[in-house]
C-alpha cells in the first residue's frame, strides 16, 4: 500500500492528492476529468486477462446496464471496452445478453464464452439468484457505504473508455458534474441519477475499491475481496 501510494505521488501528484490526501483537485465541475476516450482494438482485447464485469439493475425508466473492463495493476489502468443495457428485460433475458457480451474471438482465432464473475447491484438478490439459475456467475457487489470510496477509486486510476463500443457509459461520464450551490460554489457532492453504466463499472471494481479502503485504514482484506 505504501509503495503504491509513493509510486502514485511520483507519477501523478494530482491523483495522489485526491486519493490519499482527500483534496479536491481539477479546474472544473467534472467528476471525471482524467478519463481517456480512445479506441480499444480487437487486438488489445485479445490480450486481456484480468476482466472486471458489473451490472446495475433497472426496469423502467431506469435501464438494466452492464459494462466489461480490463484491469491492469501495473499503471493502475482500467480499460472499459464493452457495454449493454435496456429496459424491461427479465433476468433470463439479461443472462442471455451477458453471455453474448462475454463471448469474443481470442488470439488463436477461436471464439470463446468467458464465464466471468459479474458483480451486481445487491439491492436485488432475487435477480442475482435468477441469473445464476441461468448460468451467470452473478455476485452481490457489497455496495453498502462504498459509493464515495468507489468513485474516488475510479477518479484516481487511469480510466480508458472506448466511446464507440461504450457510448452510453461515455455519455454518462462526460455529463457527470459536481453539484453547485446558489452562490456558484462547487460542492463535494456527486449527484445520484443518470449513472447506471457508471454504477455498473463501480460494482465491477468494488473488490479493488474495498482493498484500497482496507489498506488505507490499516486493515487486512479478505481473499473474497
Amino acid at each position: 500500500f505504501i509503495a503504491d501510494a509513493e509510486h502514485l505521488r511520483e507519477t501523478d501528484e494530482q491523483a495522489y492528492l485526491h486519493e490519499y490526501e482527500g483534496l479536491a483537485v481539477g479546474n472544473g465541475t467534472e467528476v471525471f476529468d482524467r478519463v481517456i476516450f480512445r479506441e480499444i482494438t480487437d487486438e488489445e482485447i485479445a490480450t486481456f486477462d484480468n476482466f472486471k464485469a458489473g451490472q446495475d439493475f433497472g426496469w423502467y425508466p431506469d435501464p438494466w446496464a452492464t459494462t466489461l473492463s480490463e484491469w491492469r495493476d501495473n499503471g493502475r489502468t482500467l480499460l472499459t471496452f464493452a457495454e449493454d443495457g435496456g429496459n424491461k428485460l427479465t433476468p433470463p433475458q439479461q443472462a442471455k445478453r451477458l453471455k453474448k457480451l462475454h463471448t469474443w474471438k481470442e488470439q488463436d482465432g477461436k471464439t470463446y464464452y468467458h464465464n466471468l464473475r459479474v458483480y451486481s447491484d445487491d439491492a436485488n438478490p432475487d435477480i442475482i439468484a435468477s441469473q445464476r439459475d441461468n448460468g451467470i456467475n452473478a455476485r452481490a457487489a457489497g455496495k453498502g457505504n462504498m459509493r464515495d470510496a468507489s468513485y474516488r477509486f475510479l477518479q484516481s486510476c487511469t480510466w480508458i473508455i472506448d466511446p464507440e463500443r461504450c457510448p452510453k457509459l461515455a455519455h454518462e461520464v462526460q455529463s457527470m458534474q459536481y453539484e453547485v450551490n446558489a452562490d456558484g460554489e462547487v460542492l463535494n457532492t456527486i449527484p445520484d441519477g443518470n449513472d447506471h453504466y457508471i454504477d455498473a463499472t463501480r460494482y465491477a471494481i468494488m473488490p479493488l475499491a474495498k482493498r484500497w479502503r482496507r489498506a488505507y485504514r490499516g486493515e487486512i482484506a479478505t481473499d473474497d475481496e
Side-chain angles (χ1 to χ4, degrees):
F1 172 73
I2 295 174
D4 286 345
E6 181 62 20
H7 174 74
L8 188 63
R9 186 185 68 80
E10 293 177 353
T11 58
D12 192 334
E13 186 175 11
Q14 184 183 49
Y16 172 85
L17 292 173
H18 177 74
E19 181 170 356
Y20 294 99
E21 301 293 338
L23 300 180
V25 297
N27 298 319
T29 60
E30 302 89 352
V31 172
F32 298 104
D33 59 355
R34 295 159 38 80
V35 175
I36 300 170
F37 296 97
R38 69 161 176 84
E39 178 187 9
I40 299 175
T41 66
D42 290 337
E43 290 74 20
E44 281 184 276
I45 294 171
T47 68
F48 291 168
D49 61 2
N50 190 14
F51 302 105
K52 303 298 177 185
Q55 61 179 336
D56 183 41
F57 296 127
W59 179 253
Y60 185 84
D62 293 337
W64 166 74
T66 183
T67 65
L68 181 58
S69 306
E70 163 80 354
W71 173 252
R72 294 175 176 171
D73 281 317
N74 182 16
R76 293 170 51 86
T77 301
L78 185 72
L79 299 96
T80 305
F81 63 94
E83 69 174 30
D84 194 13
N87 293 111
K88 300 181 180 180
L89 296 173
T90 66
Q93 290 172 323
Q94 296 166 2
K96 183 177 180 180
R97 291 174 73 153
L98 282 168
K99 289 178 181 177
K100 182 179 179 180
L101 190 71
H102 296 173
T103 301
W104 63 84
K105 187 178 292 185
E106 287 284 10
Q107 286 179 307
D108 59 8
K110 297 180 180 180
T111 299
Y112 296 92
Y113 166 59
H114 301 73
N115 187 21
L116 304 175
R117 182 177 294 185
V118 184
Y119 285 100
S120 313
D121 180 357
D122 40 309
N124 298 92
D126 292 344
I127 299 179
I128 293 175
S130 180
Q131 284 191 358
R132 290 178 65 85
D133 290 341
N134 284 273
I136 299 299
N137 188 11
R139 304 288 186 93
K143 65 179 185 178
N145 298 319
M146 283 296 299
R147 188 171 190 266
D148 287 347
S150 56
Y151 260 101
R152 288 181 64 185
F153 187 88
L154 280 176
Q155 289 171 315
S156 66
C157 68
T158 299
W159 191 6
I160 299 171
I161 298 173
D162 187 324
E164 294 296 324
R165 297 178 187 267
C166 306
K168 294 178 181 177
L169 173 64
H171 176 72
E172 287 185 355
V173 167
Q174 291 170 329
S175 301
M176 182 66 70
Q177 304 283 322
Y178 282 107
E179 294 182 353
V180 180
N181 65 17
D183 296 325
E185 179 185 1
V186 179
L187 306 177
N188 190 25
T189 305
I190 298 174
D192 190 5
N194 300 316
D195 54 1
H196 310 292
Y197 292 86
I198 293 174
D199 281 349
T201 310
R202 287 197 303 111
Y203 300 150
I205 55 86
M206 197 65 75
L208 298 170
K210 287 181 178 180
R211 283 195 182 116
W212 169 81
R213 190 176 71 167
R214 284 182 176 271
Y216 188 82
R217 293 176 174 177
E219 302 171 358
I220 299 175
T222 64
D223 291 338
D224 290 339
E225 295 181 356

